[in-house]
């Protein structure tokens, strides 16, 4: 297929930039002709991928804030729209944020348009985050990308309206769009992935020792670290185990959590570029997130045999009780019980760790590219998509198991 890929941020930068870069690289590896329009390029792309930058000239990058973020997004959108005539794509793939000109022009020319949804429906995300921030008494003190922004929501609504399909990387994301009134045939599942390293990995042993837990992510209310710490200190696991916090922290949020963070069993590791190392040194990954797209750390954890203990909102691709354990967002009692269980039942921990490693090949970026291709064909050529791989088994936001066929 000939694909026009619009990404109005720095492609290859940490976060969604890394995810989008992996998508482009994976599509190119599968033989697709990819034309990228991006604000700037943070890392090289494979030969054969053409690149147009909307906010860079040579090595000089123009920050979005230099001309105003909304103006920068609108400018990028116009640049991408102009590429439709010169590339004649079979399909257009757009990422947030842009006012929708590219999507509308493609639609008007009969070209399928898919809109990436790296997080839940934005209005849903705003509600969930605002509710928790208010509950914690932090309103106005913890700025976040998920703080309410009416202008950005209007941009997203314009793209959603023009898109042929919304691409959801998890059931948790898909369900929020369905709840917002999107037709089921417009919400298409795919998945993200992880990059295996050369590090030797093995399943955790059943040998009795203190449970080693790790939280890896930005310390903000949305990620639920406060629930993780409450559960940890309420469980028996903290008596001889360790809970390591990896990642930067919002200052006001860190102040709120100063007492549990100072507990003898809790270690603050700060930011690291070696997430695989941090996960490899732990028995369990703890991510009681309240709102998420499909957290890449849950893929990386399984790749090194670290057992995910995550909320159903984390977008993790696991079967409850097989590769890890799930809980409803905010259910501290359930997470406490999971800590207690795995602190005492090392055989169960070892089995889940081995199952996570067995599952890992289905979670690589190469596997994600194969499923992204299937999702494209589901939109552009439905008949061809039937024989291609579907997203792996996943759990819905309600905790209900969704089969391979249902997940699509």
């Amino acid at each position: 297929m000939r694909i026009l890929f619009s990404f109005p941020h720095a492609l290859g930068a940490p976060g969604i930039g890394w995810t989008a870069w992996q998508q482009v690289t994976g599509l190119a590896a599968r033989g697709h002709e990819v034309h990228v329009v991006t604000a700037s390029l943070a890392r090289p792309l494979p030969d054969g991928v053409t690149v147009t930058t909307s906010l860079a000239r040579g090595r000089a990058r123009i920050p979005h804030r230099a001309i105003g973020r909304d103006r920068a997004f609108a400018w990028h959108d116009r640049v991408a729209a102009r590429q439709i005539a010169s590339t004649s794509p079979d399909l257009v793939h757009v990422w947030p944020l842009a006012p929708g000109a590219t999507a509308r022009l493609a639609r008007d020319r009969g070209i399928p348009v898919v809109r990436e949804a790296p997080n839940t429906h934005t209005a849903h995300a705003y509600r969930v985050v605002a509710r928790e921030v208010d509950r914690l008494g932090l309103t106005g003190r913890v700025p976040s990308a998920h703080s309410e922004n009416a202008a950005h929501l209007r941009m997203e609504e314009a793209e959603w309206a023009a898109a042929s399909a919304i691409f959801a990387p998890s059931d948790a994301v898909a369900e929020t769009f369905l709840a917002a009134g999107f037709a089921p045939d417009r919400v298409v599942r795919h998945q993200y992935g992880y990059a295996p390293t050369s590090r030797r990995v093995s399943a955790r042993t059943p040998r009795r020792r203190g449970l080693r837990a790790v939280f890896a992510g930005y310390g903000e209310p949305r990620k639920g670290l406060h629930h993780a710490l409450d559960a940890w200190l309420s469980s028996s696991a903290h008596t001889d185990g360790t809970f390591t916090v990896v990642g930067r922290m919002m200052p006001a949020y860190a102040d709120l959590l100063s007492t549990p963070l100072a507990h003898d069993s809790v270690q603050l590791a700060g930011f690291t570029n070696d997430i695989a190392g941090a996960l490899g040194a732990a028995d369990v990954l703890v991510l009681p997130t309240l709102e998420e797209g499909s957290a890449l750390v849950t893929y990386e954890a399984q790749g090194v045999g670290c057992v995910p203990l995550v909320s159903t909102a984390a977008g993790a691709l696991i079967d409850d009780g097989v590769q890890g354990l799930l809980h409803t967002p905010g259910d501290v009692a359930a997470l406490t019980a999971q800590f207690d269980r795995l602190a005492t039942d090392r055989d169960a921990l070892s089995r889940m760790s081995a199952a996570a490693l067995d599952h890992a090949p289905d979670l690589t970026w190469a596997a994600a590219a194969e499923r992204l291709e299937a999702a494209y064909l589901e939109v552009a050529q439905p008949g061809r998509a039937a024989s291609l791989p579907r997203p792996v088994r996943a759990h819905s936001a309600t905790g209900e198991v969704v089969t391979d066929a249902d997940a699509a």
Side-chain angles (χ1 to χ4, degrees):
M1 299 178 71
R2 184 182 298 114
I3 300 155
L4 178 64
F5 193 99
S6 174
F7 187 77
H9 314 275
L11 189 67
I16 61 171
W18 168 250
T19 300
W21 185 89
Q22 287 286 0
Q23 287 182 329
V24 171
T25 301
L27 290 167
R30 294 190 63 78
H32 297 285
E33 181 182 330
V34 188
H35 300 272
V36 171
V37 183
T38 182
S40 59
L41 196 60
R43 64 176 65 216
L45 285 167
D47 293 341
V49 176
T50 63
V51 180
T52 299
T53 54
S54 61
L55 292 174
R57 294 294 180 268
R59 294 185 178 181
R61 177 178 175 269
I62 303 170
H64 289 68
R65 64 181 179 275
I67 59 175
R69 288 180 62 82
D70 291 353
R71 288 181 179 178
F73 291 135
W75 171 253
H76 171 90
D77 197 19
R78 290 195 293 271
V79 172
R82 289 199 295 268
Q83 294 299 309
I84 291 176
S86 60
T87 59
S88 300
D90 299 313
L91 180 141
V92 174
H93 186 156
V94 297
W95 273 72
L97 293 155
T102 304
R104 287 192 299 271
L105 180 59
R107 178 197 61 192
D108 292 346
R109 295 192 176 192
I111 302 168
V113 183
V114 302
R115 167 50 158 76
E116 189 75 31
N119 280 99
T120 58
H121 188 287
T122 306
H124 167 86
Y126 288 165
R127 287 194 301 271
V128 170
V129 173
R131 184 168 58 242
E132 192 67 10
V133 168
D134 182 64
R135 190 184 71 82
L136 294 173
L138 294 174
T139 300
R141 299 172 57 199
V142 285
S144 166
H146 296 84
S147 298
E148 187 166 354
N149 185 316
H152 286 189
L153 180 57
R154 286 194 297 271
M155 284 187 184
E156 300 219 46
E157 288 171 339
E159 284 189 329
W160 295 334
S164 309
I166 307 300
F167 271 20
S170 70
D171 299 317
V173 170
E175 287 170 5
T176 64
F177 280 89
L178 296 174
F182 284 72
D185 61 356
R186 289 191 64 219
V187 182
V188 177
R189 274 293 319 283
H190 69 323
Q191 71 176 75
Y192 294 150
Y194 84 102
T197 68
S198 57
R199 185 188 307 272
R200 294 184 62 183
V201 296
S202 59
R204 305 302 181 265
T205 69
R207 180 170 58 87
R208 180 74 174 91
R209 63 181 177 190
L211 189 70
R212 301 168 300 174
V214 63
F215 170 94
Y218 187 38
E220 60 174 336
R222 169 177 169 259
K223 292 284 188 177
L225 175 59
H226 50 294
H227 292 314
L229 290 168
D230 285 349
W232 175 257
L233 295 177
S234 297
S235 74
S236 61
H238 81 270
T239 58
D240 61 352
T242 57
F243 186 112
T244 303
V245 179
V246 176
R248 297 186 178 94
M249 297 276 292
M250 283 185 173
Y253 187 56
D255 289 344
L256 179 74
L257 301 180
S258 59
T259 298
L261 288 173
H263 192 273
D264 288 344
S265 66
V266 178
Q267 302 173 354
L268 296 178
F271 175 79
T272 180
N273 286 317
D274 186 17
I275 290 295
L279 294 168
D283 297 316
V284 298
L285 165 71
V286 188
L287 188 62
T289 190
L290 303 173
E291 185 279 326
E292 192 95 33
S294 186
L296 301 189
V297 71
T298 65
Y299 298 72
E300 294 170 309
Q302 293 181 74
V304 295
C306 184
V307 175
L309 303 187
V310 299
S311 77
T312 53
L317 302 184
I318 65 172
D319 289 316
D320 191 19
V322 180
Q323 299 94 0
L325 296 172
L326 294 167
H327 63 275
T328 302
D331 191 342
V332 173
L335 182 55
T336 301
Q338 292 171 2
F339 279 136
D340 284 333
R341 175 185 174 187
L342 295 188
T344 57
D345 189 349
R346 294 289 303 194
D347 288 334
L349 175 69
S350 182
R351 287 195 302 271
M352 291 182 200
S353 177
L357 288 172
D358 288 344
H359 192 217
D362 287 334
L363 303 177
T364 63
W365 282 115
E370 190 174 7
R371 292 175 176 98
L372 179 59
E373 176 185 76
Y376 282 167
L377 292 175
E378 183 172 339
V379 175
Q381 303 174 35
R384 285 189 59 192
S387 62
L388 291 171
R390 318 308 301 170
V392 297
R393 287 174 62 88
H395 279 264
S396 71
T398 62
E400 179 184 0
V401 176
V402 180
T403 66
D404 292 355
D406 292 335

